[in-house]
Each structure stands twice: as C-alpha cells, then as structure tokens.
Amino acid sequence: MKTYDTVVVGAGATGLTCAWRLAEAGQDVLVLEARDRVGGRLRTEDHNGSDFEIGGQWVSPDQEALIALLEELGLETYSRFREGESLYVDAAGVARRFTGEDLPVEEQTAKEIDRLIGVVDDLAAQMDPDRPWEHPQAAELDAVSFAQWLDAQTTDAEARDNIALYLGPAMLTKPTHSFSALTAVLMSASAGSFTHLVDADFILDKRVVGGLASVPAALAERLGERVRLSADVTHVDWSESGAVVTVDGEQIATRNVVLALPPTHVRRIRITPELPAEHRHAREHQSFGLVIKVQAEYDTPFWREAGRSGTGFGPWQLVHEVYDNTLHGKETGTLVGFVSDLNADAMGRLSADERQAAILASLASYFGDAALTPRTYVESDWQHQELTGGAYATSFDVGSLTRWGAKLHEPVGPIRFGSSDIAGHGFQHVDGAVRMGTRLAQQLLEQPSL
Ligand code: FAD
C-alpha cells in the first residue's frame, strides 16, 4: 500500500494552507474533504444573477498572514463602502445619525464606553493570544461569564449593552452569559486590541474581488489532484509510526495526519486508539456560536442617495449590526445584517416567510420602508449543515480555556489538530486559519523523522 507523507482532513482555509505549504516543500500530500466543494466556511453563491458571500468575507489590516497569502495568490481587495452618516437605533427604536466612531449617546455614557474599552484593552495587552491560559489574571477571568464581569464593571446599562454587543452577538455569536471574560479578552487580543474590534472601519476593512472563497479555490487549484472531494473521513487508526485513514471503506496509509477541522468535528471521526481523556474533554467544552448572516440586494444603494453609509448598530434590534455590502463593480446595492445568538434561536423557530418579514422589518428601523422590498434576499444557513453546525466559529465554555485550552494544540502520535477556532492571532478568522495551516506545516517539516 502506498504511504503518504501527510493526509490532511478538511479542505477549509486551514487544511489547504497546510497542504500547499507541505506540497511546496516536496511532501507527498493528500487532502480529503467531505463536502463536494472546497472552502468550508468560505463560500460564494449565485442568487438571481449576483454573487453573495455566504461565509467569511472581510479582511482587516492586522490579518497579516491572510494579506500576505492574498498577495501571493494574486488576489485583489477593495474597501467596504463607508462614506456618509451611520445609524444607531436606540433602546426605544429611534434611529439616530452619527459620523465617526463615537455613538450618539449621552456624554456620560460615551465616556463610560471609552473607559470600558480601555479596561478590556489593558487586559488584552497582557495576553499572548497563543497562550491565553498564561494571562496574569487567567484563573479569575475564566471563572466568570463575560455578562457577570461586565455587570461588576459598570452601572450604565447603555454602555454595558454596547460593550456586550461587540463581544457577544457581533463576535463570539453567543449570549454573554455563556462565555468567560477570559474568552472575551482572547477575542480582543487576537485582533490586536479591543479598540480594533469596536472599529468597524478597521475590522471590516476590505473584501476580496471575486470573494474570500477565492483563497481556498486558488490553493485547491494549485494542489490539483492532491485534493479529493466527497471524501468523508470516518476512521483514523494510528500508532507511533503512522496512521491509516478510512474513507468510504478505502484505507489510506500515511506517516502524518492533520485534522484541519473545527474541534467539534474531531468527534465525528472514530479514532483508534481513542484520544487521551483530556483531549476529549477539551473538545467537548468547545461549541459553535450561532448567527444568521442576511443579505438584501436592492435595485440601487438607496441609503447612499440619502447620505447614509449603510452602517448601523442597534444592540436591542433583531439585526444588531448592518453594513453596505454592495458587490465590487455592481450598480445594485446590497445590505448585510446579522441576527445572533438568542435572536437567531428565535428566528429558527419561525417559518422562512415569517423570519424574512421580521428581519426586513428590523432593517427598516435603520433605513426606512425602502428596506422592506429587496429584489433578492439571502440567508446564510450554517447551523443546518452537519459539516459546520453554526457560525462563525467555536469558542470555549466558561472555565474550559484555562483547564484544557493547551490540550487542543498537542499532537497525539502522528495526529495534529488545527482550525481557525483554536488560533491565537486571528482566532475565529480566516487569518487564524492561514496561520494555523502554516504553523502545522512548519511543525511537520521540522520533525526529525521527515
Ligand atoms: P472550516 O472552513 O470549517 O473547514 C473545515 C473543513 O473540514 C470543511 O470543509 C468540512 O467540510 C471538512 N470536514 C469536516 N469533517 C470532515 C471529515 N470527517 N472528513 C473530511 N472533511 C471534513 N472570517 C473572517 O476572517 N472574516 C469574516 O468576515 C468572517 N465572516 C464569517 C461569516 C460567516 C457566516 C461564517 C460562517 C464564518 C465567518 N468567518 C469570517 C470565519 C471564517 O470563515 C472561518 O474562521 C474559517 O473559514 C475557518 O476555516 P477552517 O479551515 O479552520 O475551518
């Protein structure tokens, strides 16, 4: 039986980056992907003659590994439209206009928001995102939910709800009572600072011409026949000297295995001998957040004509944030909004028509009745896809980052693990996937037996 140097399971950005770096270095590599396409959480779909990015799409200036890869692959970027006034829908449902980064709230609340951003920035500055469990306050921050921690920091409800929005619904896509303050600090440190996360012009800076899914597509093209689709890996049998990977009953021998999967999906594979208990605990305490990404395309970007940027925030709105998502070179106008965590649960219980009506009504609280009648309406549905199961990514239960976080990175025999979900820099982002894929390839190339 032929023996590969490395079998990579999963053709998302992590797996394909890893495989391409290994192939470039001369390794005999095979990528096995369960779906009939590459890209994982990166996907562009055609609806009604327009391209819609269903998964990841934005690139920010701190995402240096991704930016370098875009350059290497010859992919161009363009800026998100952001000229004009933004909107803030307050707790009473009133849309207030503003420019710049400061929300149109009472002066006292604005100062409190700035103070809280500073507190999280200070905590993030003390963290190496690759080792969040080594933060000087790791134990105490991991022992409380972010909601509890935030309640203890301020009595200003509007300031609290806005800070909660940035890290809960907008980033980790979980209710703030379900993740720890340490995970909130990790999310901030992974982007350089909390200041970066709250600055939409920074964190949602650029898009890729042709879509971010062009990255996995270009890598897969380079890998050619080394990528096999519709190959759902069911078993990995390993010893210290190598492994046998099973797909559809076919057995494939390899010296190394990279499971380039969200931690939740390692459990779908029967690994023999089974992983050490702590490795299983670590992955059992990591779970997907939930967000519905909604895009509505209109005949024109009508908000621009009214002097609006298309950017809007509403911590109490069903659609808690919205942006101009008009496609490069298109005359139509597209808005993208997000419905997250508990709101996404509630929307999931409605019929498709009821959900669309509720979501468009929320868009109308930002942009008026013109938002009610798009020519095309598209919801991204990752939660019903078994091979993903949520969005954007997975994060840790309260207390589990300090207990088991380090275990997620430890190889077991010839098996290594990686995905954006366990990245430090670029945690939960494509940049993190590229960094993980690159790091795993380096580790494999440096190991003495190869
Ligand atoms: P994945 O993309 O999940 O790849 C894992 C692959 O493994 C999948 O293709 C899966 O099919 C395959 N697989 C699973 N089990 C098996 C098996 N047993 N055998 C074979 N194959 C298997 N990031 C950003 O940087 N910017 C954004 O704007 C952004 N927005 C997002 C919006 C949405 C709606 C979503 C869902 C994500 C977003 N992200 C964004 C996150 C980003 O898309 C992910 O972090 C990144 O794509 C994850 O890459 P990955 O390779 O680590 O994992």
Side-chain angles (χ1 to χ4, degrees):
M1 194 198 293
K2 171 180 173 158
T3 301
Y4 287 92
D5 291 321
T6 302
V7 167
V8 176
V9 182
T14 302
L16 290 169
T17 304
C18 178
W20 176 239
R21 294 302 176 219
L22 292 172
E24 271 186 320
Q27 273 209 6
D28 195 3
V29 183
L30 179 66
V31 182
L32 299 170
E33 167 54 50
R35 287 177 161 105
D36 61 2
R37 62 169 182 86
V38 298
R41 281 170 270 174
L42 297 176
R43 176 161 174 72
T44 300
E45 283 177 7
D46 180 314
H47 290 268
N48 207 5
S50 293
D51 282 345
F52 289 85
E53 294 194 70
I54 299 301
Q57 63 168 66
W58 281 300
V59 184
S60 57
D62 61 311
Q63 297 179 339
E64 290 164 3
L66 173 59
I67 291 169
L69 183 59
L70 292 172
E71 278 167 20
E72 184 182 333
L73 297 174
L75 296 169
E76 287 175 27
T77 58
Y78 63 103
S79 293
R80 180 175 59 82
F81 182 84
R82 61 193 74 169
E83 288 153 36
E85 292 172 325
S86 301
L87 294 161
Y88 175 72
V89 180
D90 67 17
V94 177
R96 300 171 188 274
R97 290 174 281 160
F98 70 103
T99 49
E101 287 164 36
D102 294 332
L103 298 173
V105 294
E106 295 293 331
E107 195 184 333
Q108 200 53 35
T109 295
K111 278 192 187 149
E112 187 62 353
I113 289 174
D114 283 348
R115 187 187 70 79
L116 291 167
I117 291 172
V119 173
V120 182
D121 270 347
D122 288 346
L123 290 168
Q126 297 171 61
M127 179 182 276
D128 172 356
D130 284 328
R131 290 178 187 72
W133 43 87
E134 289 178 3
H135 189 281
Q137 295 175 52
E140 62 188 90
L141 291 171
D142 208 24
V144 290
S145 75
F146 187 55
Q148 288 167 320
W149 181 86
L150 205 45
D151 271 340
Q153 300 296 316
T154 185
T155 52
D156 184 323
E158 189 166 15
R160 181 200 61 207
D161 290 351
N162 273 289
I163 298 293
L165 169 72
Y166 292 125
L167 284 157
M171 275 293 152
L172 290 153
T173 64
K174 286 181 173 178
T176 50
H177 59 254
S178 68
F179 59 86
S180 73
L182 188 67
T183 299
V185 175
L186 166 61
M187 189 78 241
S188 306
S190 76
S193 67
F194 188 40
T195 297
H196 284 167
L197 283 190
V198 303
D199 180 358
D201 287 350
F202 182 92
I203 203 75
L204 311 179
D205 184 27
K206 301 256 192 255
R207 295 177 68 186
V208 174
V209 177
L212 196 47
S214 309
V215 170
L219 290 170
E221 196 181 326
R222 290 179 185 210
L223 283 159
E225 290 180 358
R226 289 170 284 205
V227 180
R228 201 192 288 181
L229 301 178
S230 304
D232 194 352
V233 170
T234 51
H235 295 73
V236 174
D237 298 87
W238 63 275
S239 67
E240 286 304 326
S241 59
V244 174
V245 173
T246 307
V247 176
D248 277 338
E250 183 190 347
Q251 298 202 314
I252 300 166
T254 179
R255 288 186 188 85
N256 298 291
V257 181
V258 172
L259 297 183
L261 315 168
T264 41
H265 286 60
V266 171
R267 285 179 249 152
R268 276 183 82 245
I269 300 174
R270 181 82 181 266
I271 299 176
T272 313
E274 65 180 323
L275 297 179
E278 281 191 298
H279 283 256
R280 283 186 285 111
H281 296 327
R283 295 185 176 91
E284 278 159 10
H285 288 272
Q286 209 171 348
S287 57
F288 262 97
L290 182 54
V291 65
I292 305 171
K293 177 176 178 178
V294 182
Q295 300 184 70
E297 185 186 24
Y298 302 88
D299 291 336
T300 60
F302 62 87
W303 52 95
R304 294 186 190 177
E305 290 145 27
R308 310 275 188 273
S309 63
T311 301
F313 303 102
W316 307 275
Q317 276 296 313
L318 182 59
V319 177
H320 64 259
E321 58 185 322
V322 54
Y323 304 96
D324 186 316
N325 210 33
T326 301
L327 209 58
H328 182 65
K330 270 272 195 181
E331 285 178 5
T332 54
T334 304
L335 292 172
V336 61
F338 296 90
V339 178
S340 192
D341 60 84
L342 301 179
N343 283 328
D345 296 346
M347 287 298 102
R349 292 190 280 268
L350 300 181
S351 71
D353 286 348
E354 289 167 336
R355 191 164 59 243
Q356 177 171 340
I359 289 172
L360 289 175
S362 183
L363 283 182
S365 15
Y366 295 90
F367 302 106
D369 286 353
L372 293 171
T373 48
R375 53 189 267 165
T376 310
Y377 172 87
V378 179
E379 288 174 7
S380 301
D381 177 10
W382 293 93
Q383 63 164 318
H384 292 106
Q385 297 184 29
E386 195 211 345
L387 289 164
T388 301
Y392 310 111
T394 67
S395 52
F396 312 89
D397 290 354
V398 174
S400 65
L401 191 49
T402 42
R403 278 177 91 187
W404 298 299
K407 285 283 157 200
L408 295 163
H409 296 270
E410 269 182 20
V412 175
I415 309 173
R416 287 170 193 271
F417 307 89
S419 76
S420 69
D421 309 59
I422 62 166
H425 292 278
F427 172 52
Q428 295 208 340
H429 286 85
V430 178
D431 178 67
V434 172
R435 288 175 198 258
M436 283 302 308
T438 306
R439 188 191 303 171
L440 289 166
Q442 276 165 354
Q443 289 170 356
L444 286 168
L445 294 169
E446 282 164 11
Q447 69 182 20
S449 59
L450 289 173

